[in-house]
Amino acid sequence: MAEERRQKQCSVILPTESMKAMAESVGVGQLQEESCVAISEEVSYRIKEIAQDALKFMHHGKRRKLTTSDIDNALKLKNVEPLYGFQSQEFIPFRFASGGGRELHFYEEREVDLSDIINTPLPRVPLDVSLKAPKEQQKAESTEPLKVAKPGQEEEAAIQGKSQGATAADGKGKEKGLIRLKPRSTHELSVEQQLYYKEITEACVGSCEAKRAEALQSIATDPGLYQMLPRFSTFISEGVRVNVVQNNLALLIYLMRMVKALMDNPTLYLEKYLHELIPAVVTCIVSKQLCLRPDVDNHWALRDFAARLMAQSCKTFSTTTNNIQSRITKTFTKSWLDDKTQWTTRYGCIAGLAELGPDVIKTLILPRLTVEGARIKAVMEGPVVSNIDKIGADHVQSLLLKHCASVIAKIRPQPDNVEQYRTDYGYLGPMLCSHVMKARTQAALQAQQVNRTTLTITQPRPTLSVSQSGLSGSTGPRTPSIIKVPSSLTLMSPRPGTPSQPSPPATKYIVMATSAGTATTQQVITLSSSQSASPVTSTVPSATSTLQPLVKLESGSGPGLTGSRPLQKYIVVSLPSSASSSLEPKSSVIPTSISSTSLEAGMKMERSESPGASTQSPH
Amino acid sequence: MAAVQGGLVDADEDKDIKTEASNDSWGNNNANDGRLLSPSPGSSASAGSNKSAAGASEEQQTLLAVLQFLRKNKLTESVEILRREAGLPEDSLEPKGAESSGAGSGGASGGVDLEGGDASSLLSRVTASSTAGAQAPTKGPIQSAAWLTDKLSHHSASCPTAKLTHSAGEDQPDVNVVLSAYSQQGDPALYEVYYSGLKRFIESVLDCHRAELSQVFYPLFVHMYLELVYNNHESEAKAFFEKFSGDQECYYEDDLRVLSSLTKKEHMRGNETLLDFRTSKFVLRISRDSYQLLKRHLQERQNNQIWNIIQEHLYIDIFDGMPRSKSQIDAMSGSLAGEAKREANKAKVYYGLLKEPEIELPLDDEDEEAENEEGKPKKKKPKKDSLGSKSKKQDPNAPSQNRIPLPELKDSDKLDKIMYMKEATKRIRLGPDNLPSICFYSFLNAYQGLTAVDFTDDSSLIAGGFADSTVRVWSVTPKKLRKVKSAADLNLIDKESDDVLERIMDEKTASESKILCGHSGPVYGISFSPDRNYLLSSSEDGTVRLWSLQTFTCLVGYKGHNYPVWDTQFSPHGYYFVSGGHDRVARLWATDHYQPLRMFSGHLADVTCTRFHPNSNYVATGSSDRTIRLWDVLNGNCVRIFTGHKGPIHALAFSPNGKFLASGATDGRVLLWDIGHGLMVGELKGHTDTIYSLRFSRDGEILASGSMDNTVRLWDATKAFDDLETDDFTAATGHIHLQDNSQELLLGTYMTKSTPVIHLHFTRRNLLLAAGAYNP
């Protein structure tokens, strides 16, 4: 390669045409070919010589670009008058033209009207040289990835930039940024926003449950919270940090509910704040101790709830670039596999993994069942160590049974043999077997398995009444009290436009249509107004475990959505944009009224449908 | 600044005497040549008495001298007639003359190299064997003139009138003489045959010799090419170049590029690269075995063409022992004129540090209080001892305290020294586990115009030189820069008051930065005086300016360099400074003299950077001829030549103990040199672009290098120097064998976003400061 290049260097000389053109331009016509060759060789040589000298000036000027002034200096060095008028800002001021069999590079000279120059306003004076050093001298770590500037966080960055200082490179960039860019807007909060923020945060962690519900409702629905998002996210992450240390379970739960509400708000983009929120949530899942009295307090519910939040954010925000899901999975798995991990953390890890879906259960949890079973056995049947361990093991056991049963039910062929289960899954085998059998029967009964144990709906405000058209045949509205469903849980008739009471704006409903043989889909229906809402807005393929909130299924026979299929069931899920699924500390009551009605419906449905549907859709 | 008593300059007569003395030391040869300088035929005849002309008949010499004279006066016809009558072979005149001139120059530089005699005797042997008759090296006017050029290029330090020798155009006659050595007629078609014949031979020899003999390729190639060009065989020259240029080592690419553009005899005039090649002999270091092999081969083949070139233009430094390996050769080669002769690095260098002047250290208030409680004498004594023991121990390698006269310390200097010591006690001990923090000063809106930066030793001021001819000074401490009041205002102040130094300052002029205007070209070098009262700047306009930082005005413009001055630096003790530029000469100045005290001449291309040794007795210069030279300030001699870089050298740094030198070049490598032994001791690879700044930490443990590639790299200097101090063999033979351990020595790489690092500075507490202009 070098050889080729050198040969090229050797032979490059200016074409004789250029010589001719130049001669013509100064009035010498009819230059002989030989003289042209001689001149061009000479000129080429001199140009190369000057270029080499000019390079010297470039090197000493500590630049990478050769400038016209370098050439001037090189000419001066040779006692030649420099070329004036080539101080062009453009890199190469030459234009290329071809035509008439000639190819030329030329310097474009425009005719300039003097009056234009005189009349144009003076250009802005260029900025003067200035010297900058980072305020605090920090070591620039080349390995440290450059921080991505977060648009919503500028005000923080600006504040922190001063107090903490950034890396040298980073800090420099900032200072330079100030020169080139216009100053960044500092998202100052208005007085109203400040008041609002204060009210909301106080209500969220205050003692009044009603106020809290209102505040959460506001966070989940208000469209104008974007400017406050950085503050909320800092509030939450700081709050979790403090309250984990103080073992304040109640406050942690309140904060998680805030996270939930933020995630529910469709106008907010949490991607930029996940770096604060995810650590907070994960802390609530796996922390060793979350409450003052681990033997009495129900911190398990918080772990479950946070795990679901985590799963939801994984589904929503995980991309190939941030890899949230795989990173979270790795974190959970790593601490689960550690022998020294306490039962509380162990529970959190398993819950976190289990919520990520049946695939994760299948690949990560099922293979560990034997080991985990042995560990549980050691605690349950071994010498009494401590009550706390026992409780922990107990919870882990039921958690595993709960999550694994449904998955095993799907992947394992019948019949369920207890002995077989014991050999496959060890200590947990027999229990699993019974759970699986139960799951199978249940699945046979219904497509939907509502076994969220920890949720209570405490929303006191009835927002919707329910009409059940298919099931009871009565189309009249019922008050929530009749079916004893907390208000936010709303059962919708598949026919649109039937709610008898206006719903709050932008409440989301997901209508799940499940039919035999087809994959489940979710249909998100936004009812903007009660009368003229068109139900179908979007169809989101989704795994079913995202839908933690309450679910109601109905036999669909209405004309609106059923389409051609006469026997299709609809699961109406209310996505709790109005803080529907709220978490009550120390309570694990299941709203039985729903399940009773829904189960009936489900049973009816399943009987009429093919039984295969039950294994297809583990709702 | 106080004038130096009995200094280098005050004794102007001393200087003259010294010059003469050194002339004498060159021996008889020189004394004779000195008389030959007047180019008259008569004196050329007397050259026949040259002692090196062994066994030559006087007749023949006279004849030759006459022939030379006629030839010079373009009387070709008479030359022909005379020659035919005398029966001399056609080509006897030119080559022999050239050879003798080569021998003459070898003898001339004999003061420095002892090999000269050996070379000339070798030469006479070869001449005797190859051609009969006219063996006598003749001293004609041409030769003496040619020799003059050589002499000037080597020793113009002692004769200031020679400073323009190399400037093109003014020395046209000399160039002609120089070039005439190429006017040898041979069959141009055979050049390729000769060269490829030699190539085949070298490829067929034993492996151990091949690497050594391959060194011959490059200089041979260049000289053969130049001969072809000189004799107007343009197409042959081109063909020759194209055929063989690819074989040359890649680090000669830059030179080959210059060479490739040179295709006509006319071009050769005024081409500096060419002059370098001709005026200086390319130095090769070859083991005796390999050399014998080459010699035998050339004699067997009667390959006079190549043999002549080797004799005339190459200097072969023969050593006894094992031939060197390829990597060993590559490490040392790359310079414009081959390797340094071993003899060039044999002179004794006093690299030790000067004894620190004893200063009573007044303890600060806190200490004083503590002392009063504990009892004064107890604490003061040990402290004094620790200081004393450090300075009293005389380094055996240090020059004597008054080897060169140094300025007396003023009270303010003493105060500063005390500050320095106080700071030094708070210094952080650096090491591989304890790397320095780096603070980067970026110049914004410099529009590619920042060309030089310097920090004061106490890191309180920064100066920047810019392409727009300005020099700017910033204060980086809260203390603003203030001018001294005008003379009228100064009359008004109370001179008796205690704070008179404060009162003379004009508060109205306080600002964070000051602009110094005066140069008429880009400012390429900048240096603060150690006492922070002065600033030096060197510029493209050929001047070095001295600025006062009290009045912020220009005090002196030192003229002497007629071409751009690339670098300048104050001596660590103040008063003296050194500058180097495009005219290939480095000059030593004193601030109170408008003419240089010493001129260090010998580099074959621009002097790109200059550095004072910590003991002020030596000056190191780096050049675009890819060598580093160390000069003795006392007598102006070149005491070290370091070769090994493959590109122009842009950064130099002495280790704080004065033993080592680090150098950085455009090839992106840092080389480490042991000054005492004159050896390369390390190679640090990692940078991908020109290194513009090098700096050792205050204790010498860390070497920081800053480069155009936007990185600062830190190297473990302790480890780099520790490994080799045990090795005596290399010191004796001069053959280095470097292990490639750059990665182990690299302690850290720190990137900037888009800011080339052009200056580095360790504060007294070992915080690393870096500076550069942001390049959007």
Side-chain angles (χ1 to χ4, degrees), chain A residues 5-6 41 59 64 132 140, chain B residues 245 253 264 692 708 750:
Chain A
R5 219 169 66 230
R6 254 180 234 155
E41 276 179 8
H59 278 304
R64 277 202 199 85
K132 285 280 172 188
Chain B
S245 68
E253 202 181 326
K264 290 211 181 313
Y692 279 119
M708 198 71 188
Y750 304 98

Side-chain angles (χ1 to χ4, degrees), chain B residues 164-417:
Chain B
L164 293 177
T165 311
H166 289 302
S167 51
E170 290 172 49
D171 50 353
Q172 210 64 281
D174 284 340
V175 175
N176 272 335
V177 171
V178 165
L179 293 179
S180 67
Y182 282 125
S183 66
Q184 186 167 8
Q185 288 294 328
D187 186 354
L190 287 178
Y191 274 57
E192 278 187 28
V193 180
Y194 292 147
Y195 189 87
S196 42
L198 184 73
K199 199 172 143 188
R200 263 199 306 283
F201 161 70
I202 289 178
E203 274 162 7
S204 68
V205 297
L206 288 175
D207 281 355
C208 61
H209 299 299
R210 191 184 302 149
E212 286 210 314
L213 293 180
S214 300
Q215 296 176 85
V216 180
F217 279 138
Y218 174 68
L220 263 187
F221 169 79
V222 174
H223 283 290
M224 288 172 88
Y225 177 76
L226 291 178
E227 276 193 20
L228 285 172
V229 170
Y230 185 80
N231 293 310
N232 288 322
H233 305 300
E234 196 181 325
S235 53
E236 284 91 347
K238 248 180 202 171
F240 183 77
F241 189 90
E242 271 169 36
K243 189 158 179 194
F244 299 113
S245 68
D247 300 345
Q248 310 306 329
E249 299 284 352
C250 54
Y251 41 79
Y252 291 121
E253 202 181 326
D254 284 347
D255 287 344
L256 288 175
R257 197 176 299 140
V258 175
L259 215 58
S260 73
S261 63
L262 191 137
T263 51
K264 290 211 181 313
K265 190 177 174 183
E266 295 78 50
H267 296 161
M268 295 174 84
R269 278 163 214 239
N271 188 307
E272 287 152 9
T273 318
L274 183 106
L275 275 175
D276 296 335
F277 243 96
R278 179 56 197 93
T279 53
S280 60
K281 289 192 156 198
F282 198 94
V283 182
L284 299 172
R285 212 179 275 183
I286 292 183
S287 71
R288 190 171 295 284
D289 293 348
S290 305
Y291 179 71
Q292 296 292 354
L293 210 61
L294 177 71
K295 196 169 135 190
R296 211 177 306 133
H297 166 77
L298 292 176
Q299 284 174 3
E300 274 169 17
R301 297 287 180 88
Q302 295 287 310
N303 202 340
N304 290 331
Q305 203 75 34
I306 287 180
W307 186 247
N308 284 340
I309 289 177
I310 291 179
Q311 287 302 320
E312 287 165 32
H313 302 297
L314 309 191
Y315 178 95
I316 296 182
D317 188 357
I318 298 163
F319 63 88
D320 295 302
M322 285 280 291
R324 293 185 298 167
S325 70
K326 173 96 175 112
S327 63
Q328 278 177 317
I329 292 167
D330 278 350
M332 296 292 283
S333 56
S335 130
L336 201 60
E339 291 179 48
K341 297 167 192 168
R342 277 173 299 162
E343 284 64 34
N345 289 334
K346 290 283 187 249
K348 165 95 177 146
V349 173
Y350 301 97
Y351 55 79
L353 299 185
L354 292 176
K355 205 167 61 172
E356 286 290 320
E358 292 208 26
I359 297 167
E360 292 233 359
L361 190 68
L363 300 147
D364 39 39
D365 297 340
E366 296 161 42
D367 288 355
E368 210 105 52
E369 278 165 30
E371 250 173 311
N372 286 339
E373 285 159 24
E374 287 169 30
K376 230 174 187 176
K378 231 177 182 181
K379 204 176 178 185
K380 202 161 190 177
K381 260 207 166 162
K383 203 155 195 180
K384 223 180 168 183
D385 273 358
S386 66
L387 268 169
S389 63
K390 206 176 171 186
S391 49
K392 267 171 200 157
K393 208 194 290 167
Q394 176 71 27
D395 189 336
N397 292 309
S400 63
Q401 206 67 16
N402 50 2
R403 187 165 179 268
I404 64 161
L406 292 171
E408 296 259 325
L409 282 186
K410 290 177 296 186
D411 285 351
S412 59
D413 295 333
K414 283 179 182 158
L415 277 175
D416 198 51
K417 280 255 190 285

Side-chain angles (χ1 to χ4, degrees), chain B residues 3 62 126 135 424 688 712 763:
Chain B
T62 322
V126 174
Q135 314 110 311
T688 57
V712 176
T763 66

Side-chain angles (χ1 to χ4, degrees), chain A residues 66-382:
Chain A
L66 190 74
T67 64
T68 47
S69 61
D70 290 332
I71 304 218
D72 284 350
N73 286 331
L75 287 170
K76 262 170 124 180
L77 211 61
K78 301 228 168 280
N79 253 336
V80 181
E81 183 91 343
L83 299 167
Y84 296 107
F86 277 89
Q87 264 70 17
S88 175
Q89 288 303 307
E90 292 165 65
F91 185 44
I92 300 171
F94 292 99
R95 299 272 310 267
F96 175 75
S98 63
R102 290 208 290 208
E103 293 187 336
L104 279 179
H105 290 272
F106 65 95
Y107 181 59
E108 194 177 37
E109 285 172 306
R110 278 176 300 143
E111 277 186 28
V112 184
D113 194 355
L114 252 187
S115 61
D116 279 358
I117 296 180
I118 295 166
N119 291 331
T120 44
L122 286 172
R124 280 177 57 202
V125 179
L127 291 168
D128 198 16
V129 182
S130 61
L131 186 63
K132 285 280 172 188
K135 286 274 186 265
E136 257 171 62
Q137 292 128 13
Q138 278 199 344
K139 207 185 288 180
E141 284 292 346
S142 60
T143 49
E144 195 179 78
L146 287 176
K147 282 179 191 159
V148 185
K150 298 181 183 72
Q153 280 194 315
E154 253 113 31
E155 77 276 30
E156 286 173 349
I159 297 159
Q160 286 171 356
K162 273 179 192 123
S163 58
Q164 299 176 357
T167 63
D170 218 30
K172 234 184 335 137
K174 238 171 247 157
E175 289 147 10
K176 282 157 195 162
L178 288 180
I179 303 306
R180 282 182 296 129
L181 305 173
K182 57 183 180 185
R184 288 164 171 171
S185 53
T186 53
H187 299 265
E188 289 289 326
L189 293 190
S190 66
V191 180
E192 292 85 354
Q193 281 173 319
Q194 286 175 26
L195 277 176
Y196 175 83
Y197 173 76
K198 190 164 159 273
E199 284 291 316
I200 288 281
T201 46
E202 275 174 9
C204 278
V205 296
S207 54
C208 175
E209 186 59 37
K211 264 193 169 173
R212 175 164 27 256
E214 266 181 66
L216 291 174
Q217 165 83 16
S218 171
I219 293 177
T221 54
D222 208 315
L225 295 183
Y226 190 65
Q227 299 222 320
M228 271 172 278
L229 194 49
R231 275 152 224 248
F232 278 130
S233 101
T234 313
F235 177 80
I236 289 166
S237 80
E238 288 298 312
V240 167
R241 194 174 303 169
V242 171
N243 286 304
V244 158
V245 175
Q246 298 181 346
N247 292 324
N248 195 336
L249 181 63
L251 272 176
L252 288 174
I253 290 172
Y254 297 150
L255 289 168
M256 284 303 107
R257 285 170 68 182
M258 270 183 87
V259 176
K260 171 90 182 130
L262 283 173
M263 285 174 74
D264 287 344
N265 192 325
T267 61
L268 294 180
Y269 302 97
L270 292 185
E271 282 92 336
K272 310 255 192 275
Y273 305 95
L274 289 178
H275 66 287
E276 279 185 319
L277 293 179
I278 286 185
V281 174
V282 172
T283 306
C284 288
I285 300 176
V286 297
S287 176
K288 249 189 295 189
Q289 198 178 353
L290 288 168
C291 49
L292 286 171
R293 294 166 302 160
D295 46 343
V296 184
D297 291 337
N298 187 2
H299 56 96
W300 314 104
L302 173 62
R303 291 178 199 277
D304 283 336
F305 182 67
R308 246 165 280 144
L309 274 181
M310 195 61 241
Q312 191 184 336
S313 47
C314 279
K315 298 241 157 65
T316 326
F317 303 116
S318 186
T319 62
T320 47
T321 44
N322 61 19
N323 273 331
I324 293 175
Q325 172 142 6
S326 65
R327 281 155 70 184
I328 290 293
T329 316
K330 251 179 227 154
T331 315
F332 284 146
T333 320
K334 208 174 135 211
S335 55
W336 183 28
L337 294 185
D338 191 349
D339 279 340
K340 292 181 200 73
T341 311
Q342 299 209 354
W343 284 107
T344 46
T345 307
R346 200 170 284 281
Y347 180 90
C349 294
I350 298 171
L353 285 172
E355 293 293 345
L356 290 172
D359 281 343
V360 177
I361 296 178
K362 202 163 86 183
T363 51
L364 290 174
I365 298 184
L366 291 188
R368 291 272 308 167
L369 275 180
T370 324
V371 183
E372 207 57 32
R375 199 192 302 276
I376 292 169
K377 187 180 175 191
V379 176
M380 304 293 269
E381 295 178 0

Side-chain angles (χ1 to χ4, degrees), chain B residues 480-497:
Chain B
K480 299 242 168 109
L481 300 173
R482 292 170 302 176
K483 286 183 189 173
V484 173
K485 284 176 182 167
S486 67
D489 290 339
L490 282 177
N491 274 331
L492 300 176
I493 60 171
D494 176 13
K495 282 149 197 103
E496 302 303 314
S497 69

Side-chain angles (χ1 to χ4, degrees), chain A residues 322-557:
Chain A
N322 61 19
N323 273 331
I324 293 175
Q325 172 142 6
S326 65
R327 281 155 70 184
I328 290 293
T329 316
K330 251 179 227 154
T331 315
F332 284 146
T333 320
K334 208 174 135 211
S335 55
W336 183 28
L337 294 185
D338 191 349
D339 279 340
K340 292 181 200 73
T341 311
Q342 299 209 354
W343 284 107
T344 46
T345 307
R346 200 170 284 281
Y347 180 90
C349 294
I350 298 171
L353 285 172
E355 293 293 345
L356 290 172
D359 281 343
V360 177
I361 296 178
K362 202 163 86 183
T363 51
L364 290 174
I365 298 184
L366 291 188
R368 291 272 308 167
L369 275 180
T370 324
V371 183
E372 207 57 32
R375 199 192 302 276
I376 292 169
K377 187 180 175 191
V379 176
M380 304 293 269
E381 295 178 0
V384 180
V385 246
S386 80
N387 198 22
I388 295 174
D389 272 357
K390 201 149 189 172
I391 295 172
D394 192 36
H395 271 92
V396 170
Q397 180 180 327
S398 56
L399 181 78
L400 284 171
L401 292 176
K402 184 177 76 181
H403 284 294
C404 296
S406 59
V407 178
I408 291 175
K410 266 196 294 174
I411 60 169
R412 242 183 121 89
Q414 281 181 328
D416 298 320
N417 184 349
V418 177
E419 281 313 305
Q420 192 63 36
Y421 268 77
R422 194 192 293 282
T423 51
D424 283 358
Y425 301 113
Y427 172 71
L428 291 174
M431 279 174 278
L432 260 180
C433 182
S434 64
H435 270 76
V436 169
M437 283 196 284
K438 219 187 280 175
R440 284 197 210 279
T441 46
Q442 223 170 51
L445 290 177
Q446 59 161 104
Q448 181 64 31
Q449 188 178 16
V450 185
N451 55 357
R452 305 267 178 270
T453 54
T454 54
L455 284 181
T456 317
I457 285 79
T458 53
Q459 184 89 330
R461 191 159 53 99
T463 53
L464 270 184
S465 68
V466 178
S467 69
Q468 285 185 300
S469 57
L471 183 64
S472 60
S474 77
T475 52
R478 289 188 193 178
T479 57
S481 60
I482 294 175
I483 51 167
K484 287 172 189 153
V485 177
S487 62
S488 67
L489 169 83
T490 54
L491 301 178
M492 282 292 300
S493 140
R495 280 191 296 272
T498 47
S500 55
Q501 275 188 318
S503 59
T507 309
K508 255 193 210 166
Y509 296 93
I510 295 180
V511 178
M512 319 241 350
T514 312
S515 61
T518 57
T520 57
T521 57
Q522 292 180 10
Q523 288 175 312
V524 181
I525 304 165
T526 309
L527 292 184
S528 50
S529 84
S530 60
Q531 293 305 317
S532 61
S534 154
V536 181
T537 50
S538 65
T539 309
V540 187
S542 152
T544 49
S545 61
T546 35
L547 308 167
Q548 321 95 334
L550 302 175
V551 172
K552 171 69 181 159
L553 78 156
E554 261 189 60
S555 73
S557 56

